[in-house]
Structures are given as structure tokens and as C-alpha cells.
């Protein structure tokens, strides 16, 4: 199966290791970073969502109108707009991008962060709302006749959109989470299921949970699996590990100063969301797993988001990624700490190695015949 690479579409040059040098929406840097991804072999970039961050939809439209190939993954929280409005926004963006849009729906794992924008639902209620929201958006994308909706969270009457996506029947839907509620919602509704990088054995367990949820929802084809990492690469193993330790020192220094890029969006000692809890638990159990997985970056941020690293030479990191590919992961999400430089280096030195080996494996499977292809799928 083909492999795809997802990078980050940051709107400024700051990260957990260094403060930004300009405005929160730096138009020139946003375009420069996206172009670096397009020019160095990446397939798509994520426009993330934060309560106080620049609105990702117009930022995505800005990039889509200036680049020809790079695909867009747009993060969206259902609490910030009504689904009728959101479905039109997504369809318009798919038009602007000539069919390069995927939408990533975020349920929200922190009560504190959700309440910043007036969302007071409980976690279970948020998952119920997200599932209903996705169902509505899908129907709006594909319905050319007016319809009513009377649901638990949304009610409207006689609605039909006049803007439809380029993609038929609809753009893909992405979803993430590590709780039972997340597996149930994403297993039922998602085309792509996003996970944070964990040891191989735990990733395999999560993939099986997603597949089981898809079967329970009556689906014959489960979502594709995406896994996210923070790559730290260098020409030699020694230099890579020196770089890794400098990275953690920089994260800790910024955290001690209380800088917002590394302070968690919750006020408890432990994060509320299951994904972050899992990362912290893994970090407490050990620093190194499998070929190259390293947990101190996750520990330093309190398990905030995509934060487990892959450390080593490009060859080592590529082999580590292929181990995940062998589990059934076909979308690799990667984001370095030097956003621009790491995107270029990863694109130059890691992506070609992974693509070459995946193509070789696919050719070998094809040569062995259809039975092998069925088994591999």
C-alpha cells in the first residue's frame, strides 16, 4: 500500500524549543513553510486548531490558493460553529484547493481549553456531539435536496447547501483519540484515524481497537491509520542523541519560564485526555523503545499532543517508520522542533528512504501473487 507523509502548517516559526520571532500569523513564514513541504516530498500539511490561535480555515485557503500540489488537513472543533456553516466552509475550501482537503474533527480533551470558547459539555457529551456533527456535515456535502435534522445536539429545517466539494462523494474525514469513546466515534465515522506515536506493541493494540470499533459500527473497511512523531535526526547516531538531549533541555528551560508554547492547556497535575495520559505512562515506564522511540520529549511537555520522538540517523528513523508501516500505518505525521529546517531535512533524507522501501515491498508482494496481497491487506 502507498505511504503518505503529513507535516505541519504552522503560522509562525515558534516551537516548544524556541519562541516565535514575529506575529502569531506570519504570512510570509506560513507560505515559506508550506512551500518547503511541497518541494521536499510531503503529501499534506496540518492546519491545527487552538482556542487563541489564528483561524486555520482562512490560513489554509491562503496556502491552497498559492500552491498547486500540497494537500490540506484542516483541524476543526465542532463547538466553534454550527455544522451547516462548517460544511459550507469546508466545501468552499475544497473548491479553492481543487479537491485537496481533508477535515480533522477534534472533540477536545481538556475541559479548560474547551471552556475558553464557551464549551461546557462533558467529555462523553462532546463525543456524542462530534459524531452527530460529522454525520450532518457528510449529509450536507452529498445532499442536493433540502432536509430537516432533529438530533440530540442540533436542530434545523429545510436546509440545502449551494456549494459542494470537488471531491466525490466527499472529502475524507480524519479523527483521533485513545479512549473507548474515541474509538467508537472514529471507528464509525472516520476515513483516517490519527494516533500519537507509541511503542509498536501499544500502537498495534490501538489499531486493533479502531478496527473492532469499525466492525461494531457495521463497516467492512476500517479507517486508514495515521501515527505522529517528532523526528530528531542527524548524520550520526551520536550527533542525533546529542541533539535530542539539547532539545529536551530547551523544552524544560522554556517550561520553567512558564512560556505558553510548552505549558499544558489544563490546570491539573495530570492531563484529562487519555492520549496524553498514555504518553506519560509510557514515559514513566522507560525512555527508549523499539528502534528509535524516545519519550523524554513527551515527559518534558506533560504528554502534550504529538510529543514522542524518533531519534537517530535518517536510516535509523526510516527503518523505525517502516516498522509502523508493517503494522498497517500508511500515513506518517512528522514535525520537528526547527519547523522549517527539520521539514526540509526530513523531506530530503527520510521520506525517500521510506518510499523506496515501501515500493520495493509492494513490488515483492505483487510478484508473489493475489493471495499475498489479500493477506497483507
Amino acid at each position: 500500500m502507498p505511504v503518505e507523509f503529513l507535516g505541519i502548517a504552522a503560522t509562525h516559526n515558534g516551537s516548544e524549543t524556541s519562541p516565535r520571532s514575529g506575529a502569531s500569523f506570519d504570512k510570509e513564514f506560513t507560505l515559506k513553510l508550506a512551500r518547503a513541504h511541497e518541494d521536499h516530498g510531503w503529501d499534506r500539511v496540518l492546519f491545527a486548531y487552538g482556542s487563541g490561535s489564528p483561524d486555520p480555515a482562512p490560513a489554509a485557503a491562503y496556502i491552497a490558493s498559492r500552491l498547486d500540489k500540497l494537500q490540506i488537513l484542516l483541524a476543526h472543533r465542532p463547538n466553534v460553529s454550527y455544522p451547516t456553516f462548517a460544511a459550507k466552509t469546508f466545501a468552499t475550501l475544497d473548491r479553492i484547493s481543487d479537491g485537496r482537503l481533508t477535515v480533522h474533527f477534534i472533540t477536545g480533551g481538556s475541559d479548560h481549553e474547551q471552556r475558553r470558547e464557551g464549551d461546557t459539555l462533558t467529555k462523553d457529551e462532546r463525543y456524542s456531539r462530534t459524531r452527530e456533527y460529522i454525520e450532518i456535515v457528510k449529509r450536507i456535502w452529498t445532499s442536493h435536496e433540502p432536509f430537516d435534522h432533529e438530533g440530540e445536539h442540533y436542530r434545523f429545517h429545510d436546509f440545502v447547501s449551494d456549494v459542494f466539494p470537488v471531491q466525490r462523494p466527499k472529502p475524507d474525514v480524519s479523527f483521533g483519540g485513545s479512549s473507548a469513546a474515541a474509538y467508537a466515534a472514529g471507528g464509525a465515522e472516520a476515513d483516517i484515524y490519527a494516533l500519537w506515536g507509541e511503542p509498536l506493541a501499544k500502537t498495534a493494540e490501538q489499531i486493533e481497537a479502531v478496527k473492532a470499533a469499525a466492525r461494531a459500527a457495521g463497516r467492512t473497511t476500517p479507517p486508514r491509520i495515521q501515527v505522529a512523531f517528532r523526528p530528531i535526526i542527524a548524520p550520526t547516531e551520536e550527533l542525533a542523541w546529542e541533539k535530542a538531549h539539547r532539545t529536551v533541555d530547551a523544552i524544560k528551560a522554556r517550561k520553567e519560564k512558564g512560556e505558553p508554547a510548552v505549558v499544558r492547556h489544563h490546570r491539573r497535575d495530570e492531563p484529562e485526555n487519555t492520549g496524553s495520559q498514555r504518553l506519560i505512562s509510557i514515559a514513566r515506564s522507560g525512555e527508549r523503545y523499539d528502534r528509535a522511540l524516545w519519550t523524554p520529549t513527551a515527559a518534558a511537555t506533560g504528554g502534550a499532543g504529538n510529543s514522542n520522538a524518533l531519534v537517530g540517523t535518517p536510516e535509523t528513523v526510516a527503518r523505525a517508520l517502516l516498522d509502523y508501516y508493517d503494522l498497517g500505518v500508511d500515513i506518517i505525521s512528522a514535525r520537528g522542533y526547527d519547523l522549517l529546517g527539520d521539514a526540509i531535512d526530513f523531506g530530503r533524507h527520510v521520506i525517500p528512504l521510506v518510499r523506496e522501501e515501501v515500493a520495493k515491498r509492494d513490488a515483492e508482494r505483487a510478484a508473489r501473487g493475489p493471495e499475498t496481497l489479500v493477506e497483507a491487506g
Side-chain angles (χ1 to χ4, degrees), residues 327-342:
L327 291 181
V329 174
D330 66 342
I331 303 175
I332 302 296
S333 174
R335 170 166 56 103
Y337 291 95
D338 171 7
L339 297 177
L340 181 60
D342 287 344

Side-chain angles (χ1 to χ4, degrees), residues 182-203:
Y183 298 146
E189 298 295 339
D191 301 291
I192 298 168
Y193 200 98
L195 301 169
W196 289 334
E198 296 186 0
L200 289 164
K202 290 187 176 295
T203 300

Side-chain angles (χ1 to χ4, degrees), residues 46-375:
L46 166 66
F47 284 84
Y49 190 92
S51 59
S53 301
D55 186 349
Y62 168 67
I63 294 303
S65 65
R66 285 160 177 78
L67 299 181
D68 298 324
K69 297 181 297 182
L70 193 66
Q71 298 174 51
I72 292 163
L73 178 60
L74 178 68
H76 180 76
R77 286 184 185 164
N79 61 291
V80 300
S81 68
Y82 215 71
T84 51
F85 175 85
K88 293 185 297 180
T89 300
F90 304 147
T92 303
L93 183 52
D94 198 53
R95 287 278 161 186
I96 292 171
S97 67
D98 294 320
R100 287 178 281 151
L101 177 70
T102 299
V103 182
H104 181 66
F105 289 92
I106 302 174
T107 299
S110 164
D111 290 345
H112 177 222
E113 170 69 0
Q114 294 300 120
R115 287 169 182 165
R116 283 173 164 168
E117 294 189 283
D119 185 7
T120 59
L121 295 187
T122 66
K123 181 179 177 180
D124 286 345
E125 289 171 337
R126 291 198 297 267
Y127 274 110
S128 170
R129 177 183 61 192
T130 300
R131 189 164 177 174
E132 183 179 342
Y133 197 99
I134 294 173
E135 291 169 353
I136 293 169
V137 167
K138 287 180 177 179
R139 186 171 181 187
I140 291 171
W141 281 342
T142 57
S143 297
H144 292 262
E145 298 294 331
F147 68 93
D148 299 342
H149 179 83
E150 292 281 349
E152 180 181 359
H153 302 280
Y154 301 102
R155 295 173 180 82
F156 55 85
H157 301 94
D158 199 40
F159 180 82
V160 63
S161 177
D162 194 33
V163 56
F164 294 91
V166 170
Q167 298 177 77
R168 291 288 185 264
K170 61 175 184 57
D172 279 347
V173 165
S174 172
F175 191 89
S178 297
S179 66
Y183 298 146
E189 298 295 339
D191 301 291
I192 298 168
Y193 200 98
L195 301 169
W196 289 334
E198 296 186 0
L200 289 164
K202 290 187 176 295
T203 300
E205 291 171 0
Q206 290 216 75
I207 291 173
E208 288 307 311
V210 172
K211 289 180 177 178
R215 289 193 297 270
R219 295 178 63 175
T220 56
T221 302
R224 299 170 63 196
I225 301 296
Q226 170 186 306
V227 178
F229 303 96
R230 307 301 294 269
I232 301 176
I233 62 172
T236 69
E237 295 294 327
E238 182 180 6
L239 290 173
W241 285 104
E242 289 177 0
K243 182 178 178 181
H245 288 289
R246 288 198 307 272
T247 297
V248 168
D249 289 344
I251 294 171
K252 290 178 178 178
R254 294 199 68 201
K255 188 175 181 181
E256 288 172 1
K257 295 178 182 178
E259 297 185 25
V262 289
V263 174
R264 295 195 299 259
H265 290 299
H266 50 78
R267 293 177 174 174
R268 301 178 181 178
D269 293 334
E270 297 288 337
E272 299 169 37
N273 62 304
T274 304
S276 291
Q277 292 170 5
R278 288 175 65 100
L279 295 188
I280 291 174
S281 175
I282 291 166
R284 287 172 177 165
S285 297
E287 289 192 357
R288 295 180 65 168
Y289 294 85
D290 305 319
R291 290 183 193 270
L293 191 73
W294 196 55
T295 65
T297 46
T301 61
N306 168 26
S307 50
N308 268 340
L310 291 177
V311 182
T313 63
E315 292 77 12
T316 295
V317 171
R319 286 194 294 269
L321 292 173
L322 287 163
D323 290 338
Y324 287 89
Y325 174 82
D326 289 339
L327 291 181
V329 174
D330 66 342
I331 303 175
I332 302 296
S333 174
R335 170 166 56 103
Y337 291 95
D338 171 7
L339 297 177
L340 181 60
D342 287 344
I344 293 171
D345 286 346
F346 190 88
R348 282 177 175 167
H349 302 299
V350 179
I351 289 178
L353 295 177
V354 177
R355 289 198 193 280
E356 180 181 3
E357 183 59 31
V358 166
K360 187 185 303 181
R361 292 181 187 191
D362 287 349
E364 290 172 353
R365 288 190 185 116
R368 288 197 296 266
E371 292 84 1
T372 304
L373 289 174
V374 170
E375 290 172 5

